[in-house]
Amino acid sequence: MWLFLGMTFSLGILIPGKLCSDLQYDGDQVLHIVPETFQQVQHLQHLCSTLMLDLWKPQLLEDIRAGEDLHIRVPAPLVQEVKDSLDQHMISYKVLINDVQELVDESVLKERSQRQVPEGYNYTEYHPMEEIYEWMTQIEKNSELVTQHYLGNTVENRTIYYLQISQPSNKPKKIIWMDCGIHAREWIAPAFCQWFVKEILQNYESDATIRRFLQNLDLYVLPVINVDGYIYSWEAERLWRKNRAPYMNGTCYGTDLNRNFNSSWGSVGVSFNCTSEVFCGSGPESEPETRAVVQLIEQKKSDILCYLTVHSYGQYILTPYGSTTTPPSNNEELMQVAQKAAAALMGKYGTSYKVGSTSLILYSNSGSSRDWAHMIGIPFSYTFELRDNGTYGFVLPPDQIQPTCEETMLAVTTIIDYVDQKYFPGGAVMLTSGSLSLCLSVVFTWIAS
Amino acid sequence: MQGLGASLPVLLLLLLLLSAQLPPPAVGDQPPRALGAERSLDPSSRLAVGAARVALHKYNFQAASPSGLRALGQVRKATVKSIPGMGQKYYLQFTTEDYRSRENAGSCLATVLYPKKKSPPAVNIKCINTKDQKQIQEEDNRLYQKLKRQTKPIIGSNIPDIFGNMEPAFEPVWALAVAGSSYMMWEKSTEKVGYFMSQVKSVKQWMRKDDSLEFDYTILLHEMPTQEMILCHMRLIWLPGRHLKVKYTCESDSHRLEDGSGMESGSAAGITHEREENF
């Protein structure tokens, strides 16, 4: 334990001094020696000072003693020479670290990935809105990739935020949009949005696919659109669906936000009666939550390649449209990619998802956000309906959060990867030198804390 | 019932019998329907999937086995035929999963007739068992014994709770609710409207002098495509291997969907329905 602390302490001292440059310690070894006699001590002191070897333990030459641990870092070109000298003087040694660079890389990645996300946040349980607000603040604080943005306000005047995940670069990026929680009772959806962010931040350096698409794409993630409804489902009625807009002098509440968009609004699969779960509102975009989403997406629509909206339940990847059975212009491609995504998802735990247009395999509905997104020109627009297939429905047990999120992650990254390869073809994956530069003072403070 | 060796010839006989009843699949697109013409459906289409679910509701009720509940896997084949004077008849082949574990439970062949007038769909369904029927019976008996052992009436609410957690002690009570609810969902289903059981809002046991178990339930059903939550009261009496009796009323406003096809939802409030499965 102390050995490890000492090593990482030393790494921490080492690296800032080397100005975070690449591949500095490739092949360097750390040797562990316990000098047995005073002569051996003298020889070692001579060796270290002549060759200017890096003393890890103890810190100073004069503190080297017989019977006590000595750790020295030997630069790669000198390793053989030093070992020969030790052999000549019958000084036994052990190789403590075979390749310093490897160890440093490992610990940097691990440390950075843990620091990106708030420590102790449990992604395998459902969180109330207060905790999700907290989480967004923390994520932004901890990660250089994430910024939190104001989207708009809800009916009850609560703030709607989205997170932007963006790899800093000079390149202009295109956008992938994903929102969760249009319907309050579909708790697994916001859980997935949070999981998604966490996965990206933990793996963007180690996962080649993520690394590649983050060079070209910014990810906009909206963990909970229907904030009022979500809170209401926690505090009052678990199976609430709509927002909390009052109608009929406050005798009736809620518009189905996914019937409120301006995509053949009010034409099919809706009710004009506020008491219905699919009440489409007093007009297209009558709800502030809808308008908040619309104004941002409108503003950025020429850069948005992909619109994903996450719901539950039923296990579907749905393509446009709900308001008509006439297929979208890029139907074949949409279906192909969705099938690829469903196959990737199934590979994880065998969960089978159905793929097809909403109007053909689910039901007819107008005013959905997904239809609207495609109609204004966003080519890859999908609705996800997550687990399960009806056994628990909306009230999905928390022990299914992790497997659901893991498998869905595969589907979503398949889609993003396809979009990335399509619009940014060719180009080798660039190893970011940043990942190799060592700012281990951070490691050091983490160890020390 | 029978071991693996005996089930194979039965399976073959079953398939033979049922394939004789199934019409040959239609080839290609049908022109606008002539009377009695039948067409094949995309197995993933909502009408096909909906019909398969209805068939399974009836199966789950008739089997009267909380340990043998099935959920829909995939529809493999579906055709529909217009029966003049009667209604739309669906012919289906689909796979099923265990309701809880999602393990493959075997495939089924079914016909579902949605009558023109408002009455429950007529269902014929035969399923293959991948699980040993004897084992299922034993599980039912174990479940029954566990519940019978209670000296005080079982009372509970919100099963599962808002987080999706279910106390192990209430799992049998929940499974029984699914079996009983299947009757309600079968009866209420139409070609365009389907159901899932969402939650047991409350359950109360009535202690009986005889061997049967009796429960009073309040159940929330999720209705599609209206997305409504329908509250139903259900009285259930069960004796494993003998009978499952269900009496129910559901409350709901009648919501019309704005749709040329005239979709409707729910059942009128206050009508009592009663059904008994005897063996």
Side-chain angles (χ1 to χ4, degrees):
Chain A
M1 158 72 173
W2 286 111
L3 183 66
F4 176 70
L5 279 180
M7 274 161 38
T8 38
F9 178 93
S10 311
L11 284 171
I13 297 296
L14 171 71
I15 303 315
K18 298 294 178 186
L19 289 172
C20 303
S21 42
D22 303 10
L23 301 180
Q24 195 71 2
Y25 312 106
D26 218 46
D28 291 4
Q29 292 193 351
V30 174
L31 304 181
H32 166 69
I33 300 158
V34 183
E36 288 161 14
T37 65
F38 183 63
Q39 275 97 330
Q40 288 190 352
V41 169
Q42 278 188 313
H43 174 70
L44 287 161
Q45 286 172 330
H46 176 78
L47 195 65
C48 285
S49 74
T50 321
L51 296 177
M52 295 202 295
L53 300 179
D54 188 5
L55 268 183
W56 279 20
K57 182 182 177 180
Q59 298 289 305
L60 302 169
L61 275 178
E62 50 261 41
D63 292 332
I64 300 178
R65 304 222 199 294
E68 283 178 14
D69 285 343
L70 168 66
H71 296 164
I72 32 173
R73 181 183 66 89
V74 183
L78 296 174
V79 165
Q80 201 48 58
E81 187 182 330
V82 167
K83 286 180 179 174
D84 288 345
S85 174
L86 294 173
D87 288 338
Q88 267 186 321
H89 288 80
M90 310 278 273
I91 301 175
S92 56
Y93 61 89
K94 265 206 290 245
V95 177
L96 207 55
I97 302 176
N98 203 37
D99 187 332
V100 174
Q101 186 61 31
E102 261 178 42
L103 190 69
V104 159
D105 287 348
E106 245 178 88
S107 59
V108 166
L109 283 180
K110 184 168 189 254
E111 184 280 327
R112 276 163 78 105
S113 76
Q114 280 177 358
R115 287 288 252 185
Q116 296 285 347
V117 298
E119 279 160 44
Y121 193 80
N122 189 345
Y123 291 87
T124 61
E125 63 186 24
Y126 297 111
H127 291 276
M129 199 62 215
E130 276 319 302
E131 289 177 12
I132 298 177
Y133 277 135
E134 251 292 306
W135 170 82
M136 284 195 272
T137 308
Q138 283 303 310
I139 281 259
E140 183 186 38
K141 234 196 266 183
N142 289 343
S143 171
E144 57 200 22
L145 261 54
V146 181
T147 42
Q148 183 181 2
H149 298 263
Y150 170 82
L151 189 78
N153 276 21
T154 65
V155 170
E156 292 177 343
N157 223 14
R158 295 190 177 89
T159 319
I160 309 171
Y161 292 110
Y162 69 94
L163 299 173
Q164 182 181 341
I165 303 176
S166 185
Q167 181 84 262
S169 107
N170 295 326
K171 284 176 72 169
K173 311 270 196 59
K174 291 295 185 185
I175 298 169
I176 307 286
W177 170 282
M178 184 165 76
D179 62 55
C180 297
I182 278 195
H183 292 136
R185 57 195 180 194
E186 299 165 11
W187 286 12
I188 186 65
F192 174 69
C193 264
Q194 292 165 70
W195 181 281
F196 176 80
V197 171
K198 176 243 324 167
E199 280 292 303
I200 296 288
L201 296 181
Q202 273 182 351
N203 299 317
Y204 74 94
E205 288 179 313
S206 54
D207 183 303
T209 309
I210 299 177
R211 214 164 48 214
R212 190 200 194 276
F213 66 61
L214 278 183
Q215 285 164 29
N216 309 311
L217 301 167
D218 285 348
L219 309 175
Y220 286 41
V221 180
L222 213 194
V224 184
I225 303 186
N226 182 6
V227 178
D228 294 346
Y230 187 71
I231 293 175
Y232 192 75
S233 73
W234 271 77
E235 296 178 352
E237 211 179 304
R238 174 62 177 85
L239 294 167
W240 188 259
R241 170 180 167 88
K242 305 182 287 179
N243 77 347
R244 290 295 298 164
Y247 282 88
M248 325 247 282
N249 287 325
T251 59
C252 175
Y253 283 82
T255 296
D256 183 342
L257 294 173
N258 208 34
R259 302 287 185 276
N260 190 238
F261 284 75
N262 196 12
S263 41
S264 309
W265 180 88
S267 60
V268 68
V270 299
S271 169
F272 298 113
N273 191 327
C274 167
T275 55
S276 163
E277 293 287 4
V278 292
F279 172 55
C280 53
S282 53
E285 301 178 13
S286 59
E287 308 305 306
E289 295 90 349
T290 311
R291 288 197 299 274
V293 171
V294 165
Q295 60 82 25
L296 184 75
I297 293 188
E298 273 286 2
Q299 187 196 334
K300 305 215 174 234
K301 70 180 174 196
S302 55
D303 289 327
I304 304 178
L305 298 176
C306 184
Y307 173 86
L308 302 174
T309 182
V310 186
H311 294 244
S312 77
Y313 57 91
Q315 297 174 197
Y316 297 95
I317 300 179
L318 298 167
T319 59
Y321 296 103
S323 54
T324 169
T325 52
T326 306
S329 51
N330 60 341
N331 189 49
E332 212 176 293
E333 192 183 20
L334 277 174
M335 285 294 292
Q336 253 171 37
V337 176
Q339 265 145 11
K340 198 167 172 227
L345 186 152
M346 189 174 201
K348 187 78 182 171
Y349 295 111
T351 309
S352 90
Y353 268 53
K354 300 167 273 293
V355 172
S357 97
T358 301
S359 56
L360 290 177
I361 71 171
L362 190 57
Y363 47 59
S364 292
N365 71 319
S366 59
S368 72
S369 67
R370 188 277 324 277
D371 278 4
W372 174 79
H374 193 273
M375 287 173 180
I376 62 163
I378 297 172
F380 289 90
S381 296
Y382 294 104
T383 304
F384 273 77
E385 294 275 358
L386 304 185
R387 284 197 198 181
D388 59 15
N389 59 3
T391 301
Y392 297 102
F394 300 119
V395 207
L396 192 70
D399 63 12
Q400 289 202 42
I401 295 177
Q402 178 162 346
T404 304
C405 289
E406 283 175 333
E407 63 191 14
T408 310
M409 193 71 198
L410 296 175
V412 171
T413 50
T414 299
I415 295 172
I416 299 177
D417 180 48
Y418 178 89
V419 169
D420 178 44
Q421 305 263 10
K422 172 176 178 151
Y423 292 93
F424 300 91
V429 178
M430 291 177 333
L431 286 176
T432 44
S433 54
S435 72
L436 297 178
S437 68
L438 309 168
C439 302
L440 273 188
S441 46
V442 189
V443 178
F444 169 59
T445 41
W446 172 61
I447 295 291
S449 66
Chain B
M1 188 162 77
Q2 56 266 40
L4 204 56
S7 64
L8 188 58
V10 177
L11 161 62
L12 290 172
L13 185 61
L14 196 63
L15 282 174
L16 200 62
L17 279 171
L18 284 156
S19 59
Q21 288 179 31
L22 280 175
V27 176
D29 276 357
Q30 295 291 329
R33 307 200 265 299
L35 230 47
E38 136 272 323
R39 57 200 170 101
S40 73
L41 294 170
D42 185 335
S44 62
S45 72
R46 52 190 158 114
L47 290 177
V49 171
R53 287 212 178 96
V54 171
L56 269 182
H57 288 323
K58 196 208 176 197
Y59 174 89
N60 282 332
F61 173 64
Q62 277 190 322
S65 163
S67 317
L69 292 166
R70 301 197 190 205
L72 181 62
Q74 304 251 0
V75 178
R76 294 275 180 238
K77 234 158 129 180
T79 62
V80 65
K81 190 167 172 174
S82 221
I83 313 263
M86 293 219 59
Q88 296 291 100
K89 189 166 182 180
Y90 289 77
Y91 300 82
L92 307 152
Q93 186 188 334
F94 52 89
T95 63
T96 63
E97 304 174 334
D98 178 87
Y99 196 79
R100 295 200 70 198
S101 74
R102 298 162 72 229
E103 268 170 39
N104 176 42
S107 51
C108 303
L109 292 168
T111 64
V112 178
L113 170 64
Y114 294 107
K116 284 210 188 316
K117 43 191 171 60
K118 250 183 110 48
S119 79
V123 174
N124 238 302
I125 179 169
K126 291 283 189 302
C127 295
I128 296 162
N129 304 307
T130 52
K131 207 169 158 192
D132 183 13
Q133 286 305 94
K134 196 148 181 263
Q135 195 189 336
I136 295 180
Q137 269 168 28
E138 279 171 18
E139 282 171 33
D140 277 342
N141 284 326
R142 267 199 295 271
L143 199 148
Y144 168 81
Q145 294 298 337
K146 231 196 293 197
L147 293 172
K148 238 339 172 166
R149 264 198 294 269
Q150 305 295 323
T151 48
K152 286 206 274 263
I154 294 168
I155 301 181
S157 60
N158 288 319
I159 306 160
D161 69 14
I162 66 168
F163 300 104
N165 294 315
M166 191 159 26
E167 261 174 79
F170 282 102
E171 279 176 26
V173 172
W174 175 84
L176 211 47
V178 176
S181 297
S182 298
Y183 174 60
M184 302 194 289
M185 296 190 286
W186 162 31
E187 281 219 327
K188 290 163 69 61
S189 293
T190 69
E191 202 172 358
K192 304 255 163 75
V193 179
Y195 295 89
F196 299 88
M197 191 194 94
S198 268
Q199 194 186 28
V200 172
K201 287 303 284 180
S202 73
V203 59
K204 182 172 165 195
Q205 183 177 12
W206 293 100
M207 304 305 275
R208 290 176 69 96
K209 294 201 177 78
D210 64 15
D211 290 335
S212 299
L213 289 169
E214 181 168 353
F215 295 93
D216 234 357
Y217 287 96
T218 337
I219 308 264
L220 270 178
L221 299 182
H222 178 213
E223 182 182 79
M224 291 278 270
T226 62
Q227 296 286 358
E228 299 296 329
M229 301 308 301
I230 313 289
L231 196 69
C232 299
H233 297 267
M234 178 173 77
R235 176 70 68 102
L236 179 156
I237 300 172
W238 179 58
L239 187 60
R242 297 293 288 279
H243 54 241
L244 176 64
K245 302 185 203 180
V246 170
K247 220 163 138 176
Y248 76 92
T249 66
C250 292
E251 323 165 344
S252 82
D253 297 331
S254 192
H255 283 115
R256 286 205 83 89
L257 291 183
E258 305 312 318
D259 182 323
S261 65
M263 270 193 273
E264 289 183 356
S265 78
S267 72
I271 293 180
T272 302
H273 307 257
E274 192 167 330
R275 181 60 172 258
E276 173 176 335
E277 282 302 304
N278 281 321
F279 297 90

